[in-house]
Amino acid sequence: MLILREKINIDEIKRIAQETFGTVVKAVVDVEKGIMAIGAELHADEEAELLAIGSKQESLWGINIYPDAESESFIEFDSLIKLRPSQGNKTRGVDNPEIRKRIIEIVNSLIAR
């Protein structure tokens, strides 16, 4: 598992995908700190790692990254860790468009395509 604080090349994401699920990399984004954990088998493992280094639960959002996909299909907003009725998120997706936008900004700032 990696904690991304600086930009990484898409080839590294593809390598991680091949070593794990083949075509997808699980990631958890901290929308407050602008960092991201990638490469674990479960979103929950990435979430736990980010919590251990000081991230806040309400700032963490799980996504899937498809490194070979184009534009909109590159990020999939699907993760069990996002079921948070107390924050108004009642699905496995990201219901708040502002949070979705922030996640896309962070992913684009940390992955060079």
Side-chain angles (χ1 to χ4, degrees), residues 20-108:
T20 55
F21 295 99
T23 59
V24 64
V25 173
K26 292 184 179 287
V28 173
V29 178
D30 182 329
V31 295
E32 181 181 327
K33 292 184 173 185
I35 62 175
M36 180 168 64
I38 64 168
E41 190 170 318
L42 301 172
H43 287 118
D45 294 336
E46 295 163 337
E47 179 184 48
E49 184 66 24
L50 288 171
L51 289 170
I53 61 171
S55 292
K56 297 176 185 169
Q57 177 77 52
E58 62 269 19
S59 300
L60 302 179
W61 298 86
I63 60 171
N64 299 311
I65 297 171
Y66 291 87
D68 291 322
E70 298 295 325
S71 60
E72 291 182 20
S73 301
F74 184 70
I75 300 172
E76 177 184 51
F77 297 92
D78 182 32
S79 168
L80 287 174
I81 69 167
K82 292 184 297 214
L83 286 168
R84 294 186 201 141
S86 64
Q87 285 183 254
N89 205 78
K90 298 177 181 178
T91 70
R92 292 167 39 142
V94 178
D95 299 339
N96 183 319
E98 291 299 318
I99 293 174
R100 285 176 71 101
K101 180 180 174 189
R102 177 73 177 133
I103 290 169
I104 292 169
E105 289 171 352
I106 292 168
V107 169
N108 288 334

